[in-house]
Amino acid sequence: MSDKFSFSNLDELQRWHQGIKQANRNNIFCHCRTCGYEWIDSTFDVICLKCSSNNVESISSWQFPDD
């Protein structure tokens, strides 16, 4: 697999970005660094549902391997 992406035009690049945004929707793994609570959300800008801390790590779930 190449380390570089090749798009023939700006429209292709925009479609690729939209695909990434769609993959992120409802697939954000959140981990509270304060209390350890974990949940799935649809945004990166969250506060902990359990302790209300804003010290939350958010990672796109699609980035985790399936195996």
PDB file of all heavy atoms in Angstrom, residues 9 35 38-39 42 48-49 54 63 67:
ATOM      1  N   ASN A   9      -8.937  14.788  -8.583  1.00  0.00           N
ATOM      2  CA  ASN A   9      -9.507  16.135  -8.530  1.00  0.00           C
ATOM      3  C   ASN A   9      -9.988  16.458  -7.112  1.00  0.00           C
ATOM      4  O   ASN A   9     -10.013  15.590  -6.234  1.00  0.00           O
ATOM      5  CB  ASN A   9     -10.635  16.297  -9.553  1.00  0.00           C
ATOM      6  CG  ASN A   9     -11.747  15.304  -9.335  1.00  0.00           C
ATOM      7  OD1 ASN A   9     -12.207  15.101  -8.211  1.00  0.00           O
ATOM      8  ND2 ASN A   9     -12.192  14.669 -10.415  1.00  0.00           N
ATOM      9  N   CYS A  35     -12.311   9.255  36.055  1.00  0.00           N
ATOM     10  CA  CYS A  35     -12.975   8.151  36.771  1.00  0.00           C
ATOM     11  C   CYS A  35     -12.866   6.807  36.053  1.00  0.00           C
ATOM     12  O   CYS A  35     -13.241   5.780  36.601  1.00  0.00           O
ATOM     13  CB  CYS A  35     -14.445   8.492  37.032  1.00  0.00           C
ATOM     14  SG  CYS A  35     -15.507   8.433  35.563  1.00  0.00           S
ATOM     15  N   GLU A  38     -16.060   4.493  30.379  1.00  0.00           N
ATOM     16  CA  GLU A  38     -15.898   4.396  28.935  1.00  0.00           C
ATOM     17  C   GLU A  38     -17.259   4.281  28.262  1.00  0.00           C
ATOM     18  O   GLU A  38     -18.158   3.632  28.794  1.00  0.00           O
ATOM     19  CB  GLU A  38     -15.047   3.173  28.580  1.00  0.00           C
ATOM     20  CG  GLU A  38     -13.648   3.243  29.139  1.00  0.00           C
ATOM     21  CD  GLU A  38     -12.827   2.004  28.877  1.00  0.00           C
ATOM     22  OE1 GLU A  38     -13.407   0.940  28.560  1.00  0.00           O
ATOM     23  OE2 GLU A  38     -11.606   2.108  28.983  1.00  0.00           O
ATOM     24  N   TRP A  39     -17.409   4.903  27.091  1.00  0.00           N
ATOM     25  CA  TRP A  39     -18.655   4.856  26.345  1.00  0.00           C
ATOM     26  C   TRP A  39     -18.394   5.217  24.887  1.00  0.00           C
ATOM     27  O   TRP A  39     -17.321   5.656  24.525  1.00  0.00           O
ATOM     28  CB  TRP A  39     -19.709   5.791  26.953  1.00  0.00           C
ATOM     29  CG  TRP A  39     -19.441   7.268  26.774  1.00  0.00           C
ATOM     30  CD1 TRP A  39     -20.004   8.100  25.840  1.00  0.00           C
ATOM     31  CD2 TRP A  39     -18.559   8.091  27.532  1.00  0.00           C
ATOM     32  NE1 TRP A  39     -19.523   9.379  25.973  1.00  0.00           N
ATOM     33  CE2 TRP A  39     -18.635   9.399  27.011  1.00  0.00           C
ATOM     34  CE3 TRP A  39     -17.697   7.871  28.595  1.00  0.00           C
ATOM     35  CZ2 TRP A  39     -17.895  10.458  27.518  1.00  0.00           C
ATOM     36  CZ3 TRP A  39     -16.952   8.921  29.105  1.00  0.00           C
ATOM     37  CH2 TRP A  39     -17.062  10.196  28.570  1.00  0.00           C
ATOM     38  N   SER A  42     -20.968  10.271  19.611  1.00  0.00           N
ATOM     39  CA  SER A  42     -20.947  10.693  18.216  1.00  0.00           C
ATOM     40  C   SER A  42     -20.197  12.005  18.021  1.00  0.00           C
ATOM     41  O   SER A  42     -20.257  12.588  16.952  1.00  0.00           O
ATOM     42  CB  SER A  42     -22.378  10.824  17.691  1.00  0.00           C
ATOM     43  OG  SER A  42     -23.086  11.767  18.461  1.00  0.00           O
ATOM     44  N   CYS A  48     -17.600  13.729  30.641  1.00  0.00           N
ATOM     45  CA  CYS A  48     -17.895  12.392  31.143  1.00  0.00           C
ATOM     46  C   CYS A  48     -19.353  12.292  31.589  1.00  0.00           C
ATOM     47  O   CYS A  48     -19.862  13.154  32.299  1.00  0.00           O
ATOM     48  CB  CYS A  48     -16.967  12.057  32.307  1.00  0.00           C
ATOM     49  SG  CYS A  48     -17.275  10.428  33.030  1.00  0.00           S
ATOM     50  N   LEU A  49     -19.997  11.228  31.170  1.00  0.00           N
ATOM     51  CA  LEU A  49     -21.396  10.987  31.520  1.00  0.00           C
ATOM     52  C   LEU A  49     -21.559  10.579  32.975  1.00  0.00           C
ATOM     53  O   LEU A  49     -22.656  10.669  33.527  1.00  0.00           O
ATOM     54  CB  LEU A  49     -21.967   9.882  30.623  1.00  0.00           C
ATOM     55  CG  LEU A  49     -21.921  10.161  29.121  1.00  0.00           C
ATOM     56  CD1 LEU A  49     -22.355   8.933  28.343  1.00  0.00           C
ATOM     57  CD2 LEU A  49     -22.769  11.359  28.789  1.00  0.00           C
ATOM     58  N   ASN A  54     -14.152  16.996  32.082  1.00  0.00           N
ATOM     59  CA  ASN A  54     -13.890  17.255  30.669  1.00  0.00           C
ATOM     60  C   ASN A  54     -12.524  16.681  30.263  1.00  0.00           C
ATOM     61  O   ASN A  54     -12.049  16.916  29.163  1.00  0.00           O
ATOM     62  CB  ASN A  54     -13.988  18.736  30.343  1.00  0.00           C
ATOM     63  CG  ASN A  54     -12.954  19.569  31.075  1.00  0.00           C
ATOM     64  OD1 ASN A  54     -12.234  19.065  31.930  1.00  0.00           O
ATOM     65  ND2 ASN A  54     -12.895  20.845  30.760  1.00  0.00           N
ATOM     66  N   GLN A  63     -10.685   3.171  13.875  1.00  0.00           N
ATOM     67  CA  GLN A  63      -9.240   3.041  13.823  1.00  0.00           C
ATOM     68  C   GLN A  63      -8.730   1.783  14.529  1.00  0.00           C
ATOM     69  O   GLN A  63      -7.594   1.401  14.370  1.00  0.00           O
ATOM     70  CB  GLN A  63      -8.582   4.264  14.440  1.00  0.00           C
ATOM     71  CG  GLN A  63      -8.814   5.521  13.656  1.00  0.00           C
ATOM     72  CD  GLN A  63      -8.179   6.758  14.289  1.00  0.00           C
ATOM     73  OE1 GLN A  63      -7.567   6.679  15.331  1.00  0.00           O
ATOM     74  NE2 GLN A  63      -8.344   7.888  13.646  1.00  0.00           N
ATOM     75  N   ASP A  67      -9.516  -7.586  14.492  1.00  0.00           N
ATOM     76  CA  ASP A  67      -9.132  -8.893  15.003  1.00  0.00           C
ATOM     77  C   ASP A  67      -8.699  -8.879  16.434  1.00  0.00           C
ATOM     78  O   ASP A  67      -8.560  -8.047  17.176  1.00  0.00           O
ATOM     79  CB  ASP A  67      -8.009  -9.511  14.178  1.00  0.00           C
ATOM     80  CG  ASP A  67      -6.830  -8.585  13.981  1.00  0.00           C
ATOM     81  OD1 ASP A  67      -6.526  -7.758  14.840  1.00  0.00           O
ATOM     82  OD2 ASP A  67      -6.208  -8.705  12.920  1.00  0.00           O
TER      83      ASP A  67
END
